[in-house]
Structure formats: structure tokens, C-alpha cells
Amino acid sequence: MKIIKTLALSASLLFASFTQAAFITTQEAALDSIFSQTSFGNMPIDIRIGAATELVFPDLLDITTDAEVSTLFGMHVGLPTVVNFYFVDTIDACGGFNPAIVGCGELPGNDFVVESTFAAGAFGGELLAHELGHNLGLAHLNGNFLMNPFLNGFTDLSAGEVNIIRNSPLVQTDGQSFWIDINPVLIVARATRPVSEPGVLLLFLLSVGFFWQKKRA
Ligand SMILES: [Zn+2]
């Protein structure tokens, strides 16, 4: 009876930690829509989301310094022409500390990072497209545009910006169509793995619970 109770308690901790943990939302349909808007004419750019990778880096789940951003981007997975978008719990640094930051991308480059909850929210497509825009060579542009430095509900790209995008080495073509390859990278506190044996399950749950309590301290 005691064991069952402990397991139930641990299970609730596990659930709590999973609702806190980073998760992937690719927003592929929203991205395709943004990269095929009117300014792209009859040459839309298809956003192709590839296989996800999971990296175990507990210290990078909550990013507070530019050095941590550099460490994250230094782990690029795959070819240089493949964009990595990293999903973390929180990011509060991108050229300086600011708690309002919810995403950060190399300009230009092939890595960007976003907060999981914002990527999954109403501004998710806008956020991912904005950071991808930096990777493609776009700077900030104040106003009702995608590249406005704050999320504003607008996803407009000018003809000039589309021209910059087309010249990015990230844009692939077979002569007929154009696309950008993106692989999601999920940052996790520990490897997700199947657990079946009760003793192992309990240890796993307890250590997850410890991490959760430590993080909230
Ligand atoms: Zn930006």
C-alpha cells in the first residue's frame, strides 16, 4: 500500500515536470503560409520539417546568458544547410539579459531557439518565422511586419526582404521549387526512455521529482 501511494505521488511530480519541460511545436502550416505570402510571387519557399533530435542538457533548459545561447548553437545537428530550431523552457538572453525575450536566432546563421510555450501559442508561427528570418539574413524592421522586434500579430515580408531570403544559402532548389530544411532539436533534462521494471520506474520518477523541485527553488 505504501509503495502504491509513493508511486502515485511520484507520478504527479512526473506530470508536473513534463508540463514544465520543453516540447516541440513545428507550426509547419503557419510557416508555409508566411513563406508563400504575396511578396513571394509565384515562387513560394516550402518549409520542410525533418526528424527531431533530443539533446540532454539540463543546464540549457532555462537560458539566462549569451554564453548559454552560444553553447546551444554550438551543438548544431546535421548539415550546415539545415536549420536547427531548439526548444527550451525559457530564454532570457539574446545580446543581453531581458526576461521578455522568447526567442533568439543567429543573423545570419542556421540556429535559433524559442520558448516551447510561446512556439505552441497563438504567436507560435510568427515567432518561428521571425527567428528563421534572422537566420535568412533579415534584421529587425519596426512596424507592422514579421521582423518587428516584438510579437505583434503581423507576418508581412517586403519584396526587398524576400530578395534577401532568396539569396540565403539556406534556400535549396532543384531548379523548379524552393525549400528550406529545418530539424527541431528538443532540449531535455534527461533522456526519455521506456521504463517497465517498477524499481527502475521509482528511481526514475524520484530523480525527475528532485530535478523539478531543484529547478523551482
Ligand atoms: Zn528578432
Side-chain angles (χ1 to χ4, degrees):
M1 191 56 123
K2 190 179 178 185
I3 290 172
I4 291 169
K5 189 178 177 184
T6 306
L7 274 172
L9 175 63
S10 299
S12 69
L13 283 176
L14 180 68
F15 179 73
S17 72
F18 274 12
T19 55
Q20 295 267 328
F23 56 96
I24 292 172
T25 308
T26 60
Q27 300 281 7
E28 188 166 0
L31 288 169
D32 279 334
S33 172
I34 292 168
F35 286 88
S36 64
Q37 63 183 271
T38 311
S39 48
F40 284 82
N42 59 358
M43 290 194 294
I45 295 178
D46 184 31
I47 304 301
R48 300 183 180 176
I49 311 291
T53 301
E54 180 180 279
L55 295 180
V56 182
F57 283 96
D59 293 343
L60 295 178
L61 262 175
D62 294 286
I63 291 175
T64 55
T65 66
D66 291 332
E68 288 173 330
V69 174
S70 296
T71 300
L72 189 71
F73 291 168
M75 302 187 297
H76 188 85
V77 180
L79 295 171
T81 50
V82 177
V83 175
N84 279 181
F85 52 4
Y86 299 83
F87 290 83
V88 297
D89 275 357
T90 59
I91 169 164
D92 295 330
C94 187
F97 177 81
N98 185 340
I101 290 172
V102 293
C104 188
E106 292 170 340
L107 194 182
N110 53 12
D111 299 286
F112 68 85
V113 57
V114 293
E115 295 192 2
S116 296
T117 49
F118 276 90
F123 293 96
E126 180 187 346
L127 173 61
L128 295 176
H130 176 102
E131 303 305 344
L132 178 59
H134 283 318
N135 282 183
L136 292 163
L138 302 184
H140 281 152
L141 183 62
N142 291 319
N144 295 337
F145 310 111
L146 175 67
M147 297 314 293
N148 188 65
F150 299 94
L151 295 170
N152 60 0
F154 288 89
T155 55
D156 299 56
L157 288 164
S158 70
E161 287 175 315
V162 170
N163 199 40
I164 292 172
I165 290 171
R166 290 203 188 285
N167 285 310
S168 165
L170 297 176
V171 177
Q172 314 294 303
T173 183
D174 57 7
Q176 290 196 316
S177 55
F178 300 86
W179 70 91
I180 297 171
D181 288 318
I182 303 183
N183 286 349
V185 179
L186 180 67
I187 304 302
V188 294
R190 54 176 46 246
T192 56
R193 52 184 169 153
V195 279
S196 52
E197 198 269 317
V200 174
L201 178 64
L202 184 58
L203 280 174
F204 174 63
L205 292 173
L206 285 175
S207 55
V208 168
F210 173 71
F211 172 75
W212 176 70
Q213 289 176 324
K214 184 180 172 192
K215 188 162 83 79
R216 297 293 293 269

